[in-house]
Structures are given as C-alpha cells and as structure tokens.
Amino acid sequence: MSSGRRPERSTTRSAASARGLNYASSPLLASRTPASRSKLLVAMVGLGFLVLLGRAVYVQAIGTDFYQKQGEIRYARTLDLSASRGRILDRNGQLMAASVPAPSLWAIPKDFKAEPPERARLARLIGMTPAQLEDRLDGSANFVWLRRQVDDTLAKDVLSLGLPGIHQVREFRRQYPEGEAAAHVVGFTNIEDRGQEGIELAFQKDLVGRNGSRRVIKDRIGRVVEDIGDSVAPVDGRDIQLSIDSKLQYFAYRRLRDAVIENKAKAGSVVVLDAQSGEVLALANYPSYAPSDRRNLSGNQLRNRALTDTFEPGSTVKPLIAAWALETGRVKPDTVIHTAPGRMSLGPFTVRDTHPHGDMTVSEVIQKSSNIGAIRMGLMFQPREMWDLYASVGFGQKPQIGFPGVVGGRLKSQKQLDEITRATMSYGYGLSASLFQIAQSYTVFAHDGEYIPVTLMKSDSPDGATRVSGVRVISPQTAQTMRQMLSLAAGPGGTAPKAQTPGYSVGGKSGTAYAHAGKGYDTKKYRSWFVGLSPIKDPRIIVAVMVDEPTAGKWYGGEVAAPVFSDLVQHTLRMLGVPPDLDVKTQIIARNAPAEDESF
C-alpha cells in the first residue's frame, strides 16, 4: 500500500511546482528598464516621424517642380522635329541643291547583343572591320553612331539582322544634281547639314531653317506612348535662287575642261556676265570635284579660282588706259603713237613688243597689243589719275557679291606710283586682280561707260528687262569707241581672230603673262586669257576665260582662251534669244585669219 502512495505525491508536487513558476525571478527579466532609455527610444521614434513628415512636406510642397522635372526625365522626352534645309535653284527654277530623307544607324552598346558571325556581318554591311566596330561600340554605353545618312536598302539590311540595341533615325542628306559643273558655286554641307563652301556657306542662316519640337511620353524601352503638350512645327529653310543658268553652267564647265585638257594646262576658269543686269550667268573652274563625294579632295580642287586666284592682268588693262587717254582728250583713235624701235628702257629694265611696229594709231595699239604704245599713253597720267582709274573699275577691292573667299587683288597706293610703276601698270604688271574682277571691269565698255554691280542672285524682273545703273567712269561715246577698238583686236590683224563667233559681232582683249616663281617670273610658264563682249553695238554678255600654264605648244591668249570665248558667246546668246547681227560667211574668213603675236 505504502509503495503505491509515493508516486501520487510526487506527481502532485510537480504539477503544483509548474503552476507556481515565476519568470520574474530571472535576474535579467526582473530588472527594471531605466526611464531615460525609454524616453530616448520614444524621442528617436518621434524624431524619425518628424523627419519623414518634413521630407514629405518638402517633396510634396516645396521641391515639387524639381521632383516633377526629375520624374518627367524618366518618362517624358522632347523630340526635335528637323527642318528641311532650303533648296538652291538656278535662274529657271532647276534644282542645284536639295535635301532628301536619309536613314542614319545608331546603337545602344549596353543593349547590343550578337554572336561573332552576326557582328562580322554587321561590320561588313556598314563598311567597317570587326575591330573597328568593337572600337565604335566601346566609345559609349548609351549611344554611338554606326553610320549616318545611308541608303534605304542598307538600312533595311542592317535592321533585318534583328540585333538588339540597333536603331535608325531619319536625317536629311544633301544632293547636288549639277555635280562638279556647279560645285564651286553651290558648295557643300557637312554631315551636320551646315554649309562649308560656296552658296551653302554664304547663305547658311537663310537655308538652315528652324527646328521644331514634340513632347512625348516613352516607355522603358523607348517607344512613344503619348504626346503631351503642344508641338512646335519646324520652319523649313528659305530657297535661294541664283542668277546662274544650270545649262549654260554645264556647257561652260565642259568647254573649259576640254580646253584645259587639250592644252595640257594646270587649270582654268570661266566667268559669264549679263552686261545689262549684272547677273552672273555662269562661273566655272577646272579641276573641280563632286560635292556628294568629297573623299581625298585637295585644295586645288576646292578653290574657286575665278574669285580667289589673283594674277597680273597683263594686256587686258590696255583698253582701260586707252579709254582714259581718250576720255581726257589726250588722244583720239587716230592719234599716232611712236613705238619704234619696239623697246623702251625703264631704269634697269627694258620693255619690248613682240614685233616692232613703228608708228601706230591708238586703235592699232589696242589691235596689236603694243606694250610700248600703252606705256606712252600711261605716262601721260598723273599718279592719282592712274590710281583713280584702276580703283574706279574695282581693282584693289573685293567684289561685293556676298561669296566666301572673294579677294580684292593688289593695287599700290598713289605714293608708290612713280614713273616706272606707272609704265608697268600701263600694260598690266605691278597690280593684280582675279578673273572675276577683270570681267566686271569690262562692264565699263559694255554698259556705255558705267561700272555696274554684279550679283549671283536672280533679278526679280524677266530676263532682258532689267538694265541696272552703275558708277560712270567714261562717257558713252568713249565706251562706244573702245568697243570698236576691241572688235579690231578680235578680228583680222588682231591678236585674237579665233574669238570670232558665227552670227555675232564680238570684241575683246587677249592677255598672256609669265607665271610668278618666287620673287620673279618663270619664263617657261604662262597664263593665258581672253575677256570680251558681244554683240558690239549693244552688248548683252561679257565672257572672261583664263587657262593656267598651257604646255601643249600654244600659250597666247588669242590661241588658247579665245576659242573658248567664241563657243561660249554663241551658245549663251542663242540661249538668251539674242538675234544674230552678222553674216556668218564673212566671219568664217575672219576666224581663219592669222593672229598677231601678242606683246606681254
């Protein structure tokens, strides 16, 4: 019995002990938390709420604009709406330069993924080696150009690869339908569509227009989701209409190119002016370049020689000397000038005519291009007179045509015009001018004694209806007399009978000069030119031709440049609708007459 009761008491004692357990009897749990710790905890919690509240107030009330802007940056974008660059047109509205849409390829390198064979194919399509492609992609993590302004076919081929991170955008590429024939006039733009040469540069502000903008929302992969706000429409650039006739420009370029090649020359230039309106109808140079493909270009190709190259004008200024001698009453057309024995000493120098002519009339001095005769007349002038004469026809001054790179040549000051200098300037040495300046100076003869302004912009009036006024230099009577003398120079017994043009009367002056070499002249290198007008009675055009360093056995301006003048006059006058004023058979005989060797 006793052994049965012991387990019952033990069980009862254990249950009572479990029910009476007091956890506070633990030293750790029984200790009281200090009041300061509780207060610090409450204070920190309260401070945290205050900071969060202050931040919320700042974000929601004070810094609202900043955070809204930051938010928009992440989903809103401003897209540029490109303006189309203005067109360049010829006088008849034919395109000489225009912009056409062209896709450009770009990549996000961090998104770009492709296997080596795919990378190699992409590189081949865009004209790179695989190594060059890798270098391009390493340039930035977010944006790199792969190739700009490509053909539509190439863009489709690249996108058809389906490579992630490759995109395209539409840009504009400039096209030049007239190619190298008008390159020196029109110029070209760079990849950013900014003018670099010619009219493209001169009228950059007018041609470029003004871009528009469009605000949009994009998703995380760059797709436009929605338009926001008002769009600003782009304003296309203004069209520029030139006085150039593209058909005549092409003919002038082709004829000049043939002359340069035929005479194995270094280069050449042509200027064709409307003698009534002052408009430039053609301005060509050779060698030239293709504006749409400018790889491996040299300065010789880019240079607009008719405007940028200056040289001593030689015999082309002799008519100006004769005109002023006539205007001031010092001579008459039949006044005899003593030129024997065909040479004259000027200090340490001796000037010669190619052939001695003895006594010559003023008309014969121009016809035969006598240096001695020109000097005799030039020494009649005072230094101020000679300086004023050359300055009045634009020498020493930049032509005001608004074209980049135009030069003014060199004209010595009045104090420098001693007797020797005046003598050399009388036959075209000791001063310099561009072919364009020489052409413009002949407006004095073509426009009845007035030196008129010239322009590359088309006149608002119909062709032939505008006759501009200029600054009077000589009287109409003197100008008419000089035109008759110029017709003698371009006829039998003159230095340039090859300037004769079937159906049209012509007049002009050839020029030949040694090329500069260091501080002197290279007597084996020549520059040949001819400048003249047509028809003689009422001139409509002025044509100036220059061929630099012909080496095929001919070098006189009457042999090298005059035939180009002849072809251009006939082509231009027929195109302008000017009726012939001469019998063709008579001119054929005159054209085949032997030319007088020119003094230079």
Side-chain angles (χ1 to χ4, degrees):
M1 291 290 294
S2 59
S3 60
R5 294 183 61 179
R6 284 178 182 173
E8 182 179 351
R9 284 199 301 268
S10 178
T11 302
T12 304
R13 189 181 301 118
S14 298
S17 177
R19 287 193 298 269
L21 180 63
N22 187 359
Y23 289 97
S25 62
S26 171
L28 181 61
L29 298 176
S31 61
R32 295 178 60 85
T33 303
S36 59
R37 186 182 298 176
S38 300
K39 292 179 180 178
L40 177 62
L41 182 60
V42 172
M44 290 179 66
V45 173
L47 180 61
F49 277 112
L50 288 175
V51 170
L52 292 175
L53 179 61
R55 183 65 176 170
V57 171
Y58 177 79
V59 170
Q60 297 294 327
I62 300 174
T64 304
D65 293 340
F66 172 78
Y67 287 101
Q68 284 182 342
K69 183 177 180 180
Q70 292 299 309
E72 286 185 1
I73 289 175
R74 287 154 177 80
Y75 67 81
R77 297 287 187 273
T78 299
L79 303 180
D80 286 335
L81 302 177
S82 299
S84 179
R85 190 175 178 85
R87 301 173 301 169
I88 298 177
L89 310 171
D90 82 338
R91 65 184 302 107
N92 300 310
Q94 297 295 316
L95 282 175
M96 301 186 79
S99 294
V100 296
S104 290
L105 300 167
W106 60 281
I108 303 175
K110 65 182 182 181
D111 295 340
F112 179 72
K113 293 178 179 62
E115 297 299 324
E118 294 174 321
R119 289 174 178 262
R121 187 178 178 189
L122 173 62
R124 185 171 61 255
L125 283 173
I126 62 177
M128 294 182 182
T129 65
Q132 290 173 329
L133 176 60
E134 294 302 324
D135 289 342
R136 181 68 61 87
L137 294 171
D138 288 341
S140 170
N142 297 312
F143 177 89
V144 292
W145 287 113
L146 293 179
R147 190 168 168 189
R148 300 182 67 179
Q149 299 179 6
V150 300
D151 295 332
D152 289 332
T153 302
L154 175 57
K156 290 178 180 177
D157 289 344
V158 170
L159 295 177
S160 67
L161 296 177
L163 301 178
I166 303 298
H167 306 276
Q168 79 168 26
V169 65
R170 191 187 74 159
E171 292 191 301
F172 288 97
R173 178 175 58 199
R174 208 67 167 157
Q175 286 190 343
Y176 301 95
E178 296 303 317
E180 60 186 31
H184 290 108
V185 175
V186 177
F188 57 86
T189 62
N190 62 11
I191 195 71
E192 301 296 340
D193 219 21
R194 295 190 61 84
Q196 302 296 295
E197 293 285 347
I199 295 297
E200 294 277 31
L201 174 59
F203 289 88
Q204 167 66 18
K205 292 183 179 179
D206 298 286
L207 289 165
V208 72
R210 187 173 66 251
N211 288 342
S213 60
R214 173 190 175 199
R215 290 285 290 170
V216 300
I217 294 176
K218 287 189 173 184
D219 62 16
R220 66 181 185 86
I221 60 175
R223 296 176 300 187
V224 174
V225 176
E226 181 183 357
D227 285 316
I228 56 175
D230 295 329
S231 296
V232 178
V235 178
D236 290 341
R238 181 170 68 88
D239 290 346
I240 300 297
Q241 188 165 22
L242 304 180
S243 58
I244 298 291
D245 187 301
S246 59
K247 293 181 180 178
L248 175 59
Q249 177 74 20
Y250 175 74
F251 181 85
Y253 172 76
R254 187 182 64 183
R255 184 62 185 88
L256 175 68
R257 179 196 61 195
D258 293 346
V260 171
I261 294 173
E262 175 188 346
N263 291 283
K264 299 180 181 178
K266 177 181 176 182
S269 299
V270 163
V271 178
V272 181
L273 302 178
D274 188 314
Q276 296 183 6
S277 66
E279 293 172 301
V280 181
L281 300 177
L283 192 159
N285 299 277
Y286 184 84
S288 186
Y289 62 95
S292 56
D293 183 9
R294 301 183 297 276
R295 292 171 294 181
N296 304 319
L297 283 181
S298 65
N300 285 336
Q301 292 172 288
L302 284 173
R303 202 164 70 245
N304 191 333
R305 297 171 182 272
L307 294 169
T308 64
D309 287 16
T310 60
F311 49 85
E312 290 173 309
S315 298
T316 57
V317 302
K318 291 174 183 175
L320 294 171
I321 297 296
W324 191 247
L326 288 169
E327 183 71 13
T328 56
R330 291 180 169 101
V331 299
K332 294 180 180 179
D334 57 357
T335 297
V336 175
I337 304 292
H338 183 63
T339 66
R343 63 180 183 272
M344 176 183 288
S345 295
L346 296 172
F349 307 104
T350 299
V351 180
R352 291 180 171 83
D353 283 340
T354 302
H355 302 292
H357 293 289
D359 292 340
M360 306 173 71
T361 65
V362 172
S363 295
E364 290 173 330
V365 166
I366 299 302
Q367 181 186 29
K368 309 293 184 183
S369 192
S370 169
N371 288 341
I372 308 303
I375 292 173
R376 296 285 188 198
M377 289 186 284
L379 290 178
M380 298 176 184
F381 308 156
Q382 296 299 314
R384 181 179 180 84
E385 274 187 286
M386 182 167 283
W387 190 91
D388 284 345
L389 171 64
Y390 283 133
S392 67
V393 294
F395 291 163
Q397 308 158 50
K398 291 183 180 181
Q400 300 301 305
I401 59 172
F403 198 89
V406 175
V407 297
R410 180 173 59 91
L411 179 61
K412 294 181 179 180
S413 67
Q414 297 177 34
K415 294 180 180 180
Q416 296 176 295
L417 301 190
D418 56 22
E419 185 177 44
I420 293 178
T421 302
R422 296 202 309 279
T424 57
M425 289 176 64
S426 298
Y427 65 99
Y429 287 81
L431 73 160
S432 66
S434 66
L435 184 69
F436 193 91
Q437 287 177 290
I438 296 173
Q440 188 176 6
S441 73
Y442 270 56
T443 61
V444 169
F445 305 129
H447 210 77
D448 285 340
E450 291 183 341
Y451 175 75
I452 64 172
V454 294
T455 179
L456 278 164
M457 299 296 106
K458 184 182 183 300
S459 170
D460 293 332
S461 300
D463 288 345
T466 301
R467 185 177 176 86
V468 299
S469 59
V471 178
R472 182 157 298 284
V473 177
I474 55 178
S475 67
Q477 293 76 19
T478 299
Q480 292 168 12
T481 300
M482 288 308 306
R483 292 203 293 270
Q484 293 302 319
M485 291 187 190
L486 291 173
S487 68
L488 294 175
T495 59
K498 290 186 178 180
Q500 290 293 309
T501 302
Y504 297 98
S505 58
V506 299
K509 188 72 187 71
S510 59
T512 310
Y514 293 123
H516 271 288
K519 295 183 179 180
Y521 298 93
D522 189 333
T523 56
K524 295 182 180 180
K525 293 182 179 180
Y526 304 89
R527 183 175 284 112
S528 311
W529 56 87
F530 188 92
V531 55
L533 41 83
S534 182
I536 288 296
K537 185 176 181 180
D538 186 16
R540 179 64 193 276
I541 60 170
I542 298 168
V543 178
V545 181
M546 186 274 290
V547 178
D548 194 10
E549 296 185 22
T551 60
K554 297 183 292 184
W555 54 83
Y556 287 117
E559 293 287 333
V560 176
V564 182
F565 167 89
S566 174
D567 291 344
L568 284 172
V569 166
Q570 185 179 41
H571 188 84
T572 304
L573 291 180
R574 291 188 184 281
M575 201 165 62
L576 293 175
V578 178
D581 65 335
L582 287 183
D583 176 60
V584 174
K585 293 182 180 180
T586 304
Q587 283 188 292
I588 292 176
I589 297 174
R591 183 183 175 89
N592 293 327
E596 181 77 21
D597 289 343
E598 185 171 8
S599 299
F600 62 97

